[in-house]
Amino acid sequence: MPTVPLYYQSRIQPISDRPRFPAAAPHVVSKELSHWTTQFEAARVKQPYDAFLVLDVEATCLQGTGFDWPNEIIEWPVCLLRWKDRSSKGMASQLEVVDEFRSFVKPTWRPQLSEFCTKLTGITQSQVNLAPTFPKVLKMFARFLAQHGLIDPRNGRALQRICWCSDGPFDIRDFVVKQCFISKIPMPLWLRGDVLDVRSLVSGWVATRDPFDGQQARSRLTTAYHFRSLNIPQQLRVLSLGQFQGREHCGIDDTRNIARVLIELARRGIRLVPNTPINPNRRWVWMGRPGEVLEYYFN
C-alpha cells in the first residue's frame, strides 16, 4: 500500500513582538525603555500547562446534517506548542509551534465520501482509501507524543501537563467521542479531560475587555448577557493577525491558524487553561452496541 504522509516538521517560527529598545548610555535609564519593559513584563502571567495540542479534525458529512450525525474522522491534524520563555515560577508569554502531526483517516461505517464533503474539506476519496484507520492513526500519534516526552509509551499516561485546544468544543466532545464508539475503542488516557475552547475564550475576551480598548466592538458582538461566537477568520481579525492563511476547512490549515490565535492570546497575557468539560461516555440515539450504528435512523 502506498505510504501516507503522517506528519510535517514545522519550519515557521512565530514572529516576535518584543519591542526593539532604543540605545542609551550605560548611566542613563531611557524612559521609553522603562515603559516598554514594564508593558512586556505585565503580559507575562502564570501559565500552568507545559504543552498545548491544537486539534481541528475533518469528518465525513452530508449536506444538511449537523453534529448529531455519525460523522467519521477523515483528517487528524495537530500542532504542538511549547513555551519559549517560561520561568521556574511558571511565568510565560511566548508560545511557539515546535512540531506538527497530520494523517488522513480511512472511514469504515460509510467509506464513500459525499461530494459535499470533498468540496468542503478538499479531501479526496483516494486520500482516505489509502489512509490508515482511526485506531492505527491514534497509535501513530501516541508515538509522536512519546517522542516529544509528553506521555509514557508503556501506558499512555501524561508525563507533562498537556492542554488540548480546539476551535469550539466539537472536535473532541463530538467527533472524537463518536469515532471512538464507531471504532470500538476506549478514548486514550492522553485524550481524556477538559479542553480549551479557543473560540469561546476569544469571543468572551472581546465581549468583556476594557471599554477603552473595544467598547464599539463589544456593543456589536454582545446581546444581553451573551456574546457572539467568532469563527477562525473573525478571531484573527479581532486580534489584528490579518487574514486566514491557507484553505478553510483543511484540517492542518485550520489547526495552524488556531495556533496563531493561541500564540497571540499568550502574548497578551491571557491565561491558557481548559474551559470545556468532555464526557467520553456520551451517547447519541443512533448508537447501538459498541461499533454499531443503527441504520434505521438514517433511512
Side-chain angles (χ1 to χ4, degrees):
M1 186 173 73
T3 302
V4 179
L6 301 182
Y7 62 87
Y8 309 135
Q9 177 72 35
S10 174
R11 299 296 182 189
I12 302 174
Q13 298 298 329
I15 297 174
S16 174
D17 288 301
R18 186 189 294 268
R20 295 183 179 274
F21 300 134
H27 60 282
V28 176
V29 178
S30 165
K31 290 184 178 179
E32 187 176 356
L33 173 60
S34 177
H35 165 74
W36 279 110
T37 303
T38 302
Q39 276 201 334
F40 182 77
E41 290 178 347
R44 287 166 60 92
V45 297
K46 190 167 186 177
Q47 298 284 4
Y49 285 84
D50 303 308
F52 299 84
L53 295 169
V54 180
L55 172 70
D56 193 280
V57 303
E58 299 303 325
T60 57
C61 53
L62 297 175
Q63 191 164 13
T65 58
F67 289 112
D68 290 331
W69 200 70
N71 314 85
E72 294 182 85
I73 293 173
I74 55 176
E75 183 182 359
W76 183 267
V78 178
C79 283
L80 167 61
L81 295 89
R82 289 187 183 275
W83 297 107
K84 290 197 297 182
D85 65 336
R86 195 156 176 247
S87 71
S88 59
K89 295 183 179 180
M91 306 296 287
S93 66
Q94 297 182 58
L95 270 179
E96 65 176 341
V97 176
V98 296
D99 207 350
E100 296 177 346
F101 177 100
R102 186 196 193 191
S103 177
F104 295 112
V105 187
K106 185 176 184 176
T108 56
W109 171 57
R110 289 195 177 175
Q112 187 69 33
L113 301 184
S114 68
E115 183 180 354
F116 171 78
C117 182
T118 294
K119 286 183 177 179
L120 179 69
T121 65
I123 298 173
T124 65
Q125 189 66 49
S126 61
Q127 286 174 317
V128 297
N129 286 346
L130 298 174
T133 59
F134 187 68
K136 291 181 180 178
V137 171
L138 288 189
K139 288 180 181 178
M140 293 185 294
F141 184 67
R143 289 198 292 271
F144 171 88
L145 296 177
Q147 288 167 3
H148 284 280
L150 296 174
I151 65 170
D152 187 327
R154 296 167 298 180
N155 53 32
R157 295 191 180 278
L159 299 177
Q160 299 183 38
R161 297 200 70 187
I162 304 169
C163 180
W164 282 92
C165 312
S166 59
D167 175 44
F170 323 107
D171 294 86
I172 295 180
R173 186 195 68 185
D174 297 323
F175 296 126
V176 171
V177 172
K178 286 187 283 188
Q179 184 63 66
C180 287
F181 171 85
I182 292 171
S183 297
K184 294 193 289 187
I185 58 172
M187 185 180 289
L189 286 175
W190 43 263
L191 249 177
R192 292 173 179 256
D194 298 348
V195 303
L196 171 53
D197 175 352
V198 179
R199 177 180 297 207
S200 175
L201 182 61
V202 175
S203 300
W205 173 79
V206 170
T208 58
R209 60 181 174 162
D210 188 346
F212 178 78
D213 291 331
Q215 178 66 53
Q216 192 174 16
R218 191 177 67 212
S219 64
R220 287 199 307 268
L221 294 169
T222 55
T223 304
Y225 296 104
H226 303 283
F227 53 82
R228 198 183 91 188
S229 179
L230 301 175
N231 60 29
I232 301 173
Q234 291 170 331
Q235 293 170 43
L236 293 168
R237 284 197 294 272
V238 299
L239 292 170
S240 302
L241 294 176
Q243 298 296 312
F244 185 98
Q245 296 176 358
R247 182 191 190 281
E248 289 185 53
H249 301 296
C250 166
I252 191 64
D253 287 342
D254 286 346
T255 300
R256 289 167 177 164
N257 281 277
I258 298 167
R260 290 173 61 202
V261 170
L262 204 65
I263 290 168
E264 178 63 16
L265 293 176
R267 190 189 71 83
R268 295 181 181 226
I270 296 174
R271 197 163 180 260
L272 304 178
V273 294
N275 57 11
T276 303
I278 301 297
N279 176 12
N281 299 313
R282 186 182 178 192
R283 300 276 295 182
W284 281 261
V285 294
W286 48 262
M287 290 180 170
R289 295 184 298 273
E292 180 187 19
V293 177
L294 302 176
E295 295 282 352
Y296 59 78
Y297 277 100
F298 310 103
N299 296 331

